[in-house]
Amino acid sequence: METQTVTLQTPYLMNAWYVAALSTEVGPEALFHRKILDTSVLIYRKQDGTPVAMHDRCPHRFAPLHLGKRIGDEVACPYHALQFDCSGQCTKNPHGNGQIPKAAKVRSFPLVERHGFLWIWMGEAEADLDRLPDYRPLDVGHENGVAYTYMHMKANYELIVDNVMDLSHIDHVHGEIITTRGQLSPLVPQMREGDERISARWEWKQTPAMLIFANFMPDPAAEARMFFDITWAPPANIQLSVGATQNGAALDLEHCIGQYDLHTCTPETANTTHYWFATRRNHIEEDGDFNKMKIQAMHTAFETEDGPIIEAVHGEMGTPEFFSLNPVLMSNDAAPVKVRRLLKRLIAAESAAA
Amino acid sequence: METQTVTLQTPYLMNAWYVAALSTEVGPEALFHRKILDTSVLIYRKQDGTPVAMHDRCPHRFAPLHLGKRIGDEVACPYHALQFDCSGQCTKNPHGNGQIPKAAKVRSFPLVERHGFLWIWMGEAEADLDRLPDYRPLDVGHENGVAYTYMHMKANYELIVDNVMDLSHIDHVHGEIITTRGQLSPLVPQMREGDERISARWEWKQTPAMLIFANFMPDPAAEARMFFDITWAPPANIQLSVGATQNGAALDLEHCIGQYDLHTCTPETANTTHYWFATRRNHIEEDGDFNKMKIQAMHTAFETEDGPIIEAVHGEMGTPEFFSLNPVLMSNDAAPVKVRRLLKRLIAAESAAA
Amino acid sequence: METQTVTLQTPYLMNAWYVAALSTEVGPEALFHRKILDTSVLIYRKQDGTPVAMHDRCPHRFAPLHLGKRIGDEVACPYHALQFDCSGQCTKNPHGNGQIPKAAKVRSFPLVERHGFLWIWMGEAEADLDRLPDYRPLDVGHENGVAYTYMHMKANYELIVDNVMDLSHIDHVHGEIITTRGQLSPLVPQMREGDERISARWEWKQTPAMLIFANFMPDPAAEARMFFDITWAPPANIQLSVGATQNGAALDLEHCIGQYDLHTCTPETANTTHYWFATRRNHIEEDGDFNKMKIQAMHTAFETEDGPIIEAVHGEMGTPEFFSLNPVLMSNDAAPVKVRRLLKRLIAAESAAA
């Protein structure tokens, strides 16, 4: 007797840009592969550096193309050497009379390189660049002022979005470095809702400032005014700004010591997630050692503090259907719940249109 | 393609006391956790030592509470620090205005500490202490005369109950230490059936006595009269007495060199089981080194002799439904089959009442 | 996420001879066990060396018999010592009055030792020796001229048959040792179809001959005429002959430097396969060191070159139903597709007759 698991078809938002990889993850010669929304994807760069993406599966006998060979801008299957150009069209068949079967075509996916990431469009609708959020602040400034990292999580992606949308967790989950000393939890964030955007904002005072900023304050030990401002955009992007000041300046990155971050998730499957964050700071931007230390500290904080809790929640839930478990909702859930509900509506609308 | 073992929804007897842990497994400061009947359970001791149990899942965002913090007699969730008392009632919400949501309650489970074990009641009916079997002989005597051990088994719990209810296996599975030298298998045990109790008794002679007792006999090399007497009580407890004598004494623990044991199983899932046994002997009770050696030998015998066979049987069966495989039944199956049938009736009665 | 298990009725051809083991895998005293067509099988040799096979499951409490004991030509269950003869009949019951329950019988399987293999018949129909293909050339010649190897594959068996039936892959998958230098792929093989047999033949010239043969040619660096000739027989046997010559000789093993191979697969499950090959060469037949080197090289080539691709294809397909994925078929697929279709017809005919 054989058994097979049937995975329920989890409804992802398909007509959307997901991060497929960091720009730096795909080298000039690589045949990079990653599973995205349950589909095997091959990513490589043409000789001019342009990244391309296609289904990582030969249409002949289904061998993964990333096990094959680069031939100029094309890729040859590892099994019988059918060769495909970067649009997925078969260009060479070494078998028989060499005629190329009409069906010998691999599905290719629109791929765009922006803000240090490769963004992929997995849906059937035409790729729409207007739906790619604008994260240009990551691009502006010294190269040692920005850093990126990647993590693989054994959890549904919406749990990771929840974690960032509800920043009240930081006093409870994290250590001294980014604590608000209990100031954040009592606050009900100010919400803003836009066209497929949900934002939340917290403002508070603490003494001293978060330790990631305190040393850059005029008086490191004294009280500071601080803010968090986050904006979700579909499918799973959260832009987070955080800053501190000790004068009467406006609470924004132009006037505060702070940083501009992007958190972004891509479902690998319903139960596993690719998770990246990027961070650009507006202080000691040229210090490469500090830059390395900072991204490593953020990576470690997530991997050792948020990550184990999120994966444990995923294991305990046993389903991606959060609301089916009747969660007790509180004031700090306002933002993540709005995101879950909007995402559900967007997915439903997409399904209805299909 | 993914494959996994077929898990059937096995109906457990719910309104019953299961062992959750040894008393010694739950230290004074610990947030101990264990999956019991497919449910995550948190167990800890109040500052006065009283053990308590509750669902190991925060009702807010489903984080396991055992990852949180002890705060006096309470526990705070690791994720957003909701705090719960040992009845599962939320006592503190650090978010927003601090109001405690009405639904912020964790299910708690009745837990009783007796005979060196923590016993849990997972059912919906009111916990009934009269249904907790009386194993007081474990408590009476020198502390070096009793010992306990725990094993985790990759097998359905009923297979472990079968193993103890049919002691005819010992001549075939075990080595010299506890052999009856072939005397047991030909015997049809005397059965006794009581109110939710099933007992079996074997009496025989062998030369010498079982080696675990022979050295305590007047003439270690000579023939001895021996007995086994076992009593099953639901859901999965088997009290086993065994003894030997070389005079005309009654075959009971009052008159023989012997021991009073408890075997008890708690399903973790349909395919995995928590298994404990306890043993109190009535000879050299003060010898601590002997005590350690003895429980270690029992543990090792099970782990290396019974255990691999039971797990192999579980793997070969591929289902917990023993009778669905049309087993050939023999005289030695009388006791385990009576237990399986009574347990099935009790579970059916419970389901019918619900 | 909820997962459901679904029982797939995997369509194996049942009334057929499958290889169960190499003759050398089952020593004189061994209780050898292997899962074959989803069934646990015990194989051992009687004291006169005759191999026998039976279900590796005691009908009493389902313990695997291979964990038990050999007693002359019989086997005793590890759990309660029921003893079975090599026809599967229970011959001894040490329990109760010793009467042997009528149902105490283990299913035995016809097993035949031929050509260095043990062949098993798992079907319900009477075993038919006429359906065992004749591979006597493996038996004829010096003992150092023949070698055997076994591999376990995480792939459906039909993918392995495909690989051998379409030899066009060798220029793309393998290194210098067995390349045809691109001569094979353009050829459409000559097909022959017989009574439940499908054959394909390739003839070509290359310079030099395949390196496995070149050093045995009159002029190792010069052009050679070569051939492959393969014949599939159900369920999953492929006899492959390959040779080279530099004179006008007929392209067959009588007149060429070459070898006579057998590739044979036995499904362990729908997702895993036992795979063996045997090879007999017609040159330096007495050289034992060369013989060891040669089979090791063939084994390594498969394990490091074909194997990873086939397992990756299996993983990517996610189903054993090859045609359901709409493969693009080409001239080189003629032979494997004919085999898949004939096998499907044979399985369907068998199911219809049952």
Side-chain angles (χ1 to χ4, degrees):
Chain A
M1 179 174 62
E2 269 310 295
T3 61
Q4 183 179 356
T5 53
V6 176
T7 301
L8 295 185
Q9 194 62 40
T10 302
Y12 307 121
L13 190 66
M14 297 305 295
N15 295 320
W17 295 99
Y18 287 91
V19 169
L22 295 175
S23 288
T24 55
E25 286 183 293
V26 183
E29 300 298 329
L31 292 175
F32 182 86
H33 69 107
R34 180 162 275 159
K35 186 176 280 190
I36 295 175
L37 310 186
D38 298 318
T39 298
S40 302
V41 176
L42 167 71
I43 302 174
Y44 66 95
R45 290 184 185 277
K46 295 199 292 182
Q47 289 169 309
D48 68 4
T50 313
V52 295
M54 64 179 80
H55 197 176
D56 188 20
R57 174 195 280 194
C58 181
H60 171 224
R61 284 190 167 271
F62 314 121
L65 295 172
H66 77 267
L67 295 175
K69 290 196 191 96
R70 285 288 301 267
I71 297 172
D73 281 355
E74 307 199 340
V75 59
C77 176
Y79 204 178
H80 302 91
L82 288 191
Q83 195 167 318
F84 300 92
D85 69 19
C86 58
S87 77
Q89 177 59 50
C90 182
T91 59
K92 187 173 171 188
N93 171 9
H95 300 274
N97 61 9
Q99 197 179 325
I100 290 166
K102 200 163 175 178
K105 200 162 176 357
V106 178
R107 184 179 175 197
S108 69
F109 300 103
L111 194 77
V112 173
E113 185 159 23
R114 291 230 182 133
H115 316 315
F117 295 102
L118 306 181
W119 303 81
I120 196 167
W121 181 275
M122 302 288 288
E124 297 287 341
E126 196 179 350
D128 179 358
L129 272 174
D130 289 344
R131 306 195 69 170
L132 182 56
D134 180 353
Y135 299 122
R136 268 177 290 185
L138 288 175
D139 308 335
V140 179
H142 193 279
E143 62 176 350
N144 288 341
V146 69
Y148 295 83
T149 195
Y150 165 77
M151 287 158 293
H152 184 268
M153 289 287 295
K154 291 190 177 65
N156 181 270
Y157 73 109
E158 292 191 78
L159 295 176
I160 303 171
V161 172
D162 287 346
N163 186 58
V164 185
M165 290 307 294
D166 173 13
L167 291 171
S168 76
H169 75 276
I170 66 176
D171 285 344
H172 312 296
V173 170
H174 297 293
E176 274 299 295
I177 300 296
I178 57 171
T179 185
T180 74
R181 305 186 176 279
Q183 301 306 308
L184 204 70
S185 291
L187 301 180
V188 178
Q190 305 156 47
M191 304 289 302
R192 305 187 303 279
E193 297 185 49
D195 182 23
E196 301 193 358
R197 294 291 184 276
I198 289 173
S199 299
R201 182 179 177 86
W202 295 259
E203 298 182 3
W204 73 99
K205 293 175 191 167
Q206 68 176 84
T207 307
M210 274 186 187
L211 296 192
I212 53 173
F213 300 131
N215 284 334
F216 304 102
M217 297 282 106
D219 181 350
E223 184 185 76
R225 293 164 54 230
M226 295 198 61
F227 77 99
F228 269 126
D229 203 302
I230 63 176
T231 296
W232 173 86
N237 304 295
I238 302 168
Q239 193 278 311
L240 178 157
S241 295
V242 54
T245 180
Q246 287 178 332
N247 58 37
L251 283 173
D252 58 36
L253 285 183
E254 202 177 332
H255 300 90
C256 294
I257 292 289
Q259 65 195 52
Y260 176 100
D261 297 352
L262 176 63
H263 293 250
T264 183
C265 290
T266 300
E268 179 181 57
T269 66
N271 297 312
T272 54
T273 298
H274 307 294
Y275 179 31
W276 292 267
F277 46 69
T279 183
R280 176 172 283 284
R281 70 188 178 284
N282 62 8
H283 46 285
I284 58 165
E285 290 182 60
E286 300 185 10
D287 188 332
D289 289 341
F290 183 86
N291 201 41
K292 278 189 202 118
M293 180 276 289
K294 183 172 178 64
I295 192 71
Q296 184 56 51
M298 290 176 72
H299 185 106
T300 299
F302 187 83
E303 292 252 295
T304 62
E305 295 176 335
D306 309 79
I309 293 175
I310 293 170
E311 293 188 345
V313 166
H314 180 85
E316 182 60 31
M317 285 175 63
T319 168
E321 297 296 334
F322 176 70
F323 293 113
S324 76
L325 297 176
N326 297 316
V328 171
L329 296 178
M330 310 193 300
S331 62
N332 56 318
D333 295 304
V337 164
K338 276 185 191 293
V339 164
R340 280 187 175 267
R341 291 194 171 137
L342 175 49
L343 181 60
K344 215 180 180 74
R345 285 198 302 274
L346 293 173
I347 292 170
E350 186 176 280
S351 299
Chain B
M1 175 158 24
E2 289 184 35
T3 63
Q4 69 174 44
T5 311
V6 180
T7 302
L8 297 181
Q9 194 58 42
T10 301
Y12 307 119
L13 190 67
M14 297 305 296
N15 295 320
W17 295 99
Y18 286 91
V19 169
L22 295 174
S23 287
T24 54
E25 286 184 294
V26 182
E29 300 299 328
L31 293 175
F32 181 86
H33 68 107
R34 179 162 276 160
K35 186 175 279 191
I36 295 175
L37 309 187
D38 298 318
T39 298
S40 302
V41 176
L42 168 72
I43 301 174
Y44 66 95
R45 290 183 185 280
K46 295 199 293 183
Q47 289 170 308
D48 69 4
T50 313
V52 294
M54 64 179 80
H55 196 175
D56 188 20
R57 174 195 280 195
C58 180
H60 172 223
R61 285 190 167 271
F62 314 121
L65 295 172
H66 78 267
L67 295 175
K69 289 196 192 98
R70 284 287 301 267
I71 297 171
D73 281 354
E74 307 200 339
V75 60
C77 176
Y79 204 178
H80 302 92
L82 288 191
Q83 194 166 319
F84 300 92
D85 70 18
C86 61
S87 77
Q89 177 58 52
C90 183
T91 59
K92 185 173 171 190
N93 171 9
H95 300 273
N97 61 7
Q99 197 179 325
I100 288 166
K102 200 164 175 178
K105 200 163 177 355
V106 178
R107 183 179 176 197
S108 69
F109 300 103
L111 194 77
V112 173
E113 186 160 22
R114 290 230 182 133
H115 316 315
F117 295 100
L118 306 181
W119 303 80
I120 196 166
W121 180 277
M122 302 287 289
E124 298 287 341
E126 196 178 352
D128 179 358
L129 271 174
D130 289 344
R131 304 196 70 170
L132 183 56
D134 180 352
Y135 299 121
R136 268 177 292 186
L138 287 175
D139 308 335
V140 179
H142 194 279
E143 62 175 350
N144 288 341
V146 69
Y148 295 83
T149 195
Y150 166 76
M151 287 158 293
H152 184 268
M153 288 287 294
K154 292 189 176 66
N156 181 272
Y157 73 109
E158 292 191 78
L159 294 176
I160 303 171
V161 172
D162 287 345
N163 186 58
V164 185
M165 290 307 294
D166 173 13
L167 291 170
S168 76
H169 74 275
I170 66 175
D171 285 345
H172 312 297
V173 170
H174 296 294
E176 275 299 296
I177 300 297
I178 57 172
T179 185
T180 74
R181 304 186 178 280
Q183 301 306 308
L184 204 69
S185 292
L187 301 180
V188 177
Q190 303 156 47
M191 305 288 303
R192 305 187 304 278
E193 297 183 50
D195 183 23
E196 301 193 358
R197 296 291 185 274
I198 290 173
S199 300
R201 182 179 178 86
W202 295 260
E203 298 181 3
W204 72 99
K205 294 176 190 166
Q206 68 177 83
T207 309
M210 273 187 189
L211 296 192
I212 54 172
F213 300 131
N215 284 333
F216 303 101
M217 296 283 106
D219 180 349
E223 185 184 76
R225 291 165 55 233
M226 296 199 60
F227 77 100
F228 269 126
D229 202 301
I230 63 178
T231 296
W232 172 86
N237 304 294
I238 303 168
Q239 193 278 311
L240 178 156
S241 295
V242 54
T245 181
Q246 287 178 333
N247 58 38
L251 284 173
D252 58 36
L253 285 183
E254 202 177 333
H255 301 89
C256 294
I257 292 288
Q259 65 195 53
Y260 176 98
D261 296 351
L262 176 62
H263 294 250
T264 183
C265 290
T266 300
E268 179 181 57
T269 66
N271 297 311
T272 54
T273 298
H274 307 294
Y275 178 32
W276 294 267
F277 47 69
T279 183
R280 177 172 283 284
R281 69 188 180 283
N282 63 7
H283 45 286
I284 59 166
E285 289 182 63
E286 301 185 12
D287 187 332
D289 289 341
F290 183 85
N291 202 40
K292 278 189 201 119
M293 180 276 290
K294 184 173 177 64
I295 192 69
Q296 185 56 51
M298 288 176 73
H299 186 106
T300 299
F302 187 82
E303 291 254 295
T304 62
E305 295 175 339
D306 309 78
I309 292 175
I310 293 170
E311 294 189 345
V313 166
H314 179 85
E316 181 61 31
M317 285 175 63
T319 168
E321 296 297 335
F322 176 70
F323 292 114
S324 76
L325 297 177
N326 296 317
V328 170
L329 296 177
M330 311 193 300
S331 61
N332 56 319
D333 295 303
V337 165
K338 277 184 189 296
V339 165
R340 280 187 173 268
R341 291 192 172 139
L342 174 50
L343 182 59
K344 215 180 180 72
R345 284 198 303 274
L346 293 173
I347 291 171
E350 186 176 278
S351 299
Chain C
M1 173 160 44
E2 300 268 336
T3 60
Q4 275 182 301
T5 56
V6 172
T7 301
L8 297 179
Q9 196 62 41
T10 301
Y12 305 121
L13 190 66
M14 297 305 295
N15 295 319
W17 295 99
Y18 286 92
V19 168
L22 294 175
S23 287
T24 54
E25 286 183 293
V26 183
E29 300 298 329
L31 292 175
F32 181 86
H33 68 107
R34 179 163 276 160
K35 186 176 279 190
I36 295 175
L37 310 186
D38 298 319
T39 298
S40 301
V41 176
L42 167 72
I43 302 174
Y44 66 95
R45 291 183 185 279
K46 296 198 294 182
Q47 290 170 308
D48 68 4
T50 313
V52 294
M54 64 179 80
H55 197 176
D56 188 21
R57 174 195 279 195
C58 181
H60 172 224
R61 285 190 167 273
F62 314 121
L65 295 171
H66 77 267
L67 295 175
K69 290 196 191 97
R70 284 287 303 267
I71 297 171
D73 282 353
E74 308 199 339
V75 60
C77 177
Y79 204 177
H80 302 92
L82 287 191
Q83 193 166 319
F84 301 92
D85 69 18
C86 59
S87 77
Q89 177 58 52
C90 182
T91 59
K92 186 173 171 189
N93 171 8
H95 301 274
N97 61 8
Q99 197 179 325
I100 289 165
K102 200 165 174 177
K105 199 161 176 357
V106 178
R107 185 179 174 197
S108 69
F109 300 103
L111 194 76
V112 173
E113 186 159 24
R114 290 233 182 132
H115 316 315
F117 295 101
L118 305 181
W119 303 82
I120 196 167
W121 180 276
M122 302 288 288
E124 298 287 341
E126 196 177 353
D128 179 358
L129 272 175
D130 289 345
R131 303 195 71 171
L132 182 57
D134 181 352
Y135 299 121
R136 268 177 291 184
L138 288 174
D139 308 335
V140 179
H142 193 278
E143 63 175 348
N144 288 340
V146 68
Y148 295 82
T149 195
Y150 164 76
M151 286 158 294
H152 184 267
M153 289 286 296
K154 292 192 176 65
N156 180 271
Y157 73 109
E158 293 191 78
L159 295 176
I160 303 172
V161 172
D162 287 345
N163 186 58
V164 186
M165 290 307 293
D166 173 12
L167 291 171
S168 77
H169 75 275
I170 66 175
D171 286 344
H172 312 296
V173 170
H174 297 293
E176 275 298 296
I177 301 297
I178 58 170
T179 185
T180 74
R181 305 186 177 278
Q183 301 306 309
L184 205 70
S185 291
L187 300 180
V188 177
Q190 305 156 46
M191 305 288 302
R192 304 188 305 278
E193 297 183 50
D195 183 23
E196 300 193 359
R197 296 291 183 276
I198 289 172
S199 300
R201 181 178 179 86
W202 294 260
E203 297 182 3
W204 72 99
K205 292 176 191 166
Q206 68 177 84
T207 307
M210 274 186 187
L211 295 191
I212 53 173
F213 299 132
N215 284 334
F216 303 101
M217 296 283 107
D219 181 350
E223 184 185 76
R225 293 163 55 230
M226 296 199 62
F227 77 100
F228 269 125
D229 201 303
I230 64 177
T231 296
W232 172 87
N237 304 294
I238 303 168
Q239 193 278 310
L240 178 156
S241 295
V242 54
T245 180
Q246 287 179 331
N247 57 38
L251 284 173
D252 58 37
L253 285 183
E254 201 176 333
H255 300 90
C256 293
I257 292 289
Q259 66 195 51
Y260 176 99
D261 296 353
L262 176 63
H263 294 249
T264 183
C265 290
T266 299
E268 179 180 58
T269 66
N271 298 312
T272 53
T273 298
H274 306 294
Y275 179 31
W276 293 267
F277 46 69
T279 183
R280 176 172 283 284
R281 70 188 180 284
N282 63 8
H283 45 285
I284 60 166
E285 289 181 62
E286 300 185 11
D287 187 332
D289 288 341
F290 183 85
N291 202 40
K292 278 187 203 119
M293 180 276 290
K294 184 174 178 62
I295 192 70
Q296 185 56 52
M298 289 175 74
H299 186 105
T300 300
F302 187 83
E303 292 253 296
T304 62
E305 295 176 337
D306 310 79
I309 293 175
I310 292 170
E311 293 189 345
V313 165
H314 180 86
E316 182 60 32
M317 286 175 61
T319 167
E321 297 296 334
F322 176 70
F323 293 114
S324 76
L325 297 177
N326 297 317
V328 170
L329 296 177
M330 310 193 301
S331 61
N332 57 317
D333 294 304
V337 165
K338 276 184 191 296
V339 164
R340 280 188 175 267
R341 291 192 171 139
L342 174 50
L343 182 60
K344 215 179 180 74
R345 285 199 302 275
L346 293 173
I347 292 170
E350 186 175 280
S351 300

